[in-house]
Amino acid sequence: MKASRLPLPRFSSPLSRDKQDTLLLLASTVLVLLPHTAHLPLWVTLLCGATLAWRALLTLLGRRMPANLVLVPLAVVAMAGVLHTYHTLLGRDAGVAMLVLLVAFKMLEMHARRDLFVVVFLCFFLVLTNFFYSQSIGTALLMLASIVALLTTQLSFQLTGAVPPLRSRLLMGAKILALAAPLAALGFVLFPRIDGPLWGLPDDAHGARSGLSDTMAPGQVSTLAQSDAPAFRVKFDGPPPAQPQLYWRGPVLGAYDGRTWSRLMPRPYRGRKAPQAVSLSVRGEARRYQITMEPSNTRWLFALEMPGALPQLSSGTAGASPELELQASAPVRERIRYDLASYVDFSLQAGDTLDNAFEWLLLPYGRNLKALAAGRRLRQDYPEPMRRVQAVLRQFATGGYSYTLEPPLLGAEAVDEFLYDTRSGFCEHYAGAFVFLMRAAGIPARVVTGYQGGELNPIDGYFTVRQSDAHAWSEVWLPRQGWVRIDPTAAVSPDRVQRGLARALPAPAPFGFEGLGRLLQPDPDSLLARVRYAIGAANNGWNQWVLNYTPQRQHALMESLQDKLFSWRSAALFALACAVLLLARKLSRQGREDPVDRLYSALCQRLGQLGLPRAPDEGPTAYAARVAGAALAPEPKAAAAEFLRRYSAWRYAPPTQPQPHGAGLPTILKELLSRVR
Amino acid sequence: MARLPLGARVFGWLRGRRSTWRERSTARDRGEVELNQRRVYVLPTRAGLGFGALLLALLIGSVNYDLGLGFGLTFVAAACGLVDMFYTYRNLAHLHLRPGRASAVFAGEEAPFELLLANRTRLSRFAVWVDVDTAQDPRHAVDVPAGGGATVVLSGASSRRGWMQAPRVRLATRFPLGLFNAWSYWQPDSRALVYPFPEQDAPPLPVSGYPSPDGIGSAGSDDFAGVRSYQPGDPLRQLAWRHIARLDPSLGGQLVTKQFEGGALDELVLDLDALPPRLDLESKLSRLARWVLEAELRALPYALRLGRQSIEAALGPAHQAACLEALALYGGAGEDR
């Protein structure tokens, strides 16, 4: 350890040890509070900053801390401010704000050693509360840095006389963390996890989310297309299907009021009853996959067409509506994971007639008369339903229709204006208009919303489906075939279905520079794309294993570990590793001492056992003199005397005789030692 | 006599058992002692218990709000606590303790015991608190660098004359994080010599060789040799009246007597048997101790006679030390406690 010097700050005379420790504590507190500034109201941030600055000033100037008479009114005012901003003192956000203010004010009220521990423990709790808002890898790294800072502060306060420089103290703190990391990883994996909240949560426990809703009005889906936030991630068992086959089915909308499509609700005055059962038959190979869904605050679960069974969630089995929409029992407020198997080849309600077909044929009265007339014409021209479908699709493909994110606004006669005036729209326009025409043509049809496509991450094989992949298509009922999926967007813009929205509708080049545009939508093979994929894979792995480490996953891991760990081979390997480590440690300790010195210590020990221990202040010559006068057998006595003479000659030889060990001194000494018994 | 309540009796019995265990477990340690694993005890401090409560709160918060990273924080903090326990133990373990010098003092003074701590490992030790076992809070903190040593001087209150054993020493440390307290006991094998307390207001030195009935000798009256405190029975002629007049009675002015010496001086022999029998042994030894110091101060060679023990007349610090030692150890007041 170097001599204890107080580290000199760059700009002023050296501060005393107490002041330095307090400033270190302030710095740690600032580090812990920093990530909270993102979500706290501005006045809280400013107040905390002012309080901590005041404390720093008091420390630097050596003044006393303010009396309680000053602090208590300040605290009351702060509490009133929190109440005013959040309208409650008991919610999650209000609680976090109060905790932040408490830590800041506590810094002004530190009088005893005990208060230091209070501040440090409160800071640990603040690190936890940060996880309400973000749990990314960056947050984790910041957490580790905060812990190192807090540990360094704690150990600085324990030092008394010698104070190592700040760098070695930080190293000490980092060493503690480094030693703790493997233990922590073990605890993280092995500690038994339990499901769900232990008691009720406040109302704002989970923040606001956005996603697909269960109504569709023109412009709603195109708004979602702006958001890059992931909706869910999929991992297929086996080769994934091609992009045009990735239709993720969500809410099914059958009721149209002239503007908005919404779900069919049971309407008592129409006497509608939900059918008891819906016939679904599947054929062929099942595609198995696992979906990790982000929280959406709705109940919808998405599945590839058509799932064969209902998925199992941790909260129970999901339910299905008569239109085969999957729903969870409670709104999805946290990331969930479920397995499904879907079949490409299926028949839904296949038969000669459809029960309650009139529900899927209803159209609002007296609106969009041109489209109604066109539909009736279709019915007359094409007796076969499939031919009517193909006629409309042909119309979309060749009738000068365009696919755009910003179509002109539509008025009261939305369908007529779209079909015959504007002829440009997004998927919701096409799906809505198509279903309208089909209903007018006498074919039961409905709008299906959900997602289409997905971006494959080549590194970990996960598909990421984003909110921008939200899509609307339709299903028509054909006799003997059942419900068949028809995507009118495919007729207008095949690129959308084949290659995703980004390819079909490239975002306009920023500031008009084409090159920049290409930069922002890179090729999958470019370096930038690969970096993006790597980051995405890391984040996904983080989500799967750290944030979403459910009891089920732990159980599966334990089972697989059990097979691997509790076998004879691994036990033998472990024993071997331990033996190697111990041996290495012993050898390294021995190798540091001079072999001749080691023999000398052994001799002293041996003579000690014979009753002649060497006193701490006795050199070899004095020791030899004492040994000569002691009562020992002649042979050991002679051997010991010779040993000590040789050792003394070698150890204290004058520098003019640069004679190192000389060949064989250790051997001679060893032989002499063996004679001393 | 009323019987103590059950709880008090159980507690007293436990305390007796604990002190017996302590005495047995740290019998006097000869020479150098190494604080090995069995001698170092570790327990959490109050801050450590608070840390445990914090861990529980973190765990409950993580389970309730399903914070995966919260679990990470909880386990990292718990592991840091465990690592701290190991580090605190290591901060104290494998220190080599050796008693140093213990200088002689007079009864009633604090006897200094020097203790040497040697660190033969490669780990620097910080903030090791050392003090006698009976002290409430340890007062001396040392840092022992790697391969180096440190010295602590502890003081034990002395009461009786004779050999005084070093008090039991307690070493404790809370470094690095203050969550755990590692402590160890050591009974150093050193002792300090305690001389009898020199009597206050002792009669003057018995300069004449002949024992006088009240132990007060009278020297020649040729030279004025200073003043001493008044003893009842001094002739009033010999009181230093001018001196007394100068001392302010409101400050507790005292009577002083003039001392004379000069003339033929007989050999100064300090004899235990010559002292008045009305004094007990301790008082006699006290008086002799005071006379030894006086004689040394006035550079008068003196001899000491204690029963069968006799020390030739001489002068000098070594002679003084030998005489005081003889006085301290008179009567076999040796190995105590």
Side-chain angles (χ1 to χ4, degrees), chain A residues 214-290:
Chain A
D214 52 3
T215 57
M216 186 182 85
Q220 229 171 352
V221 183
S222 47
T223 320
L224 264 185
Q226 319 286 356
S227 164
D228 246 353
F232 54 90
R233 291 188 174 85
V234 194
K235 177 95 169 80
F236 283 94
D237 288 353
Q243 194 87 322
Q245 290 178 334
L246 293 175
Y247 277 90
W248 307 97
R249 208 157 168 277
V252 172
L253 314 175
Y256 188 48
D257 65 358
R259 184 147 187 93
T260 312
W261 287 90
S262 49
R263 296 180 67 225
L264 281 182
M265 302 298 274
R267 279 167 233 194
Y269 56 88
R270 282 198 190 262
R272 173 182 181 260
K273 273 200 301 261
Q276 300 297 66
V278 164
S279 67
L280 168 71
S281 59
V282 294
R283 290 173 293 276
E285 287 263 332
R287 297 231 179 222
R288 296 184 192 280
Y289 52 96
Q290 193 182 59

Side-chain angles (χ1 to χ4, degrees), chain A residues 1 117 121 128 131-132 135 147 151 154-155 158-162 180 188 191 193 197-199 201-202 334 542 546, chain B residues 47 51 54 58 60 63-71 75-76 79-80 124 126-127 129 143 174-178:
Chain A
M1 198 199 72
F117 285 111
F121 293 168
L128 180 77
F131 299 151
F132 290 145
Q135 286 191 74
I147 291 183
L151 290 178
Q154 249 184 303
L155 71 90
Q158 291 291 326
L159 291 169
T160 51
F188 186 85
F191 189 82
R193 300 290 179 101
L198 298 172
W199 60 76
L201 302 173
E334 54 198 14
W542 181 255
V546 175
Chain B
F51 192 70
L54 171 76
L58 289 177
I60 291 182
V63 168
N64 213 35
Y65 289 90
D66 193 29
L67 301 171
L69 212 50
F71 282 108
F75 294 125
V76 166
C80 281
S124 288
F126 295 98
W129 291 84
D143 304 305
R174 293 185 178 195
F175 186 82
L177 296 182

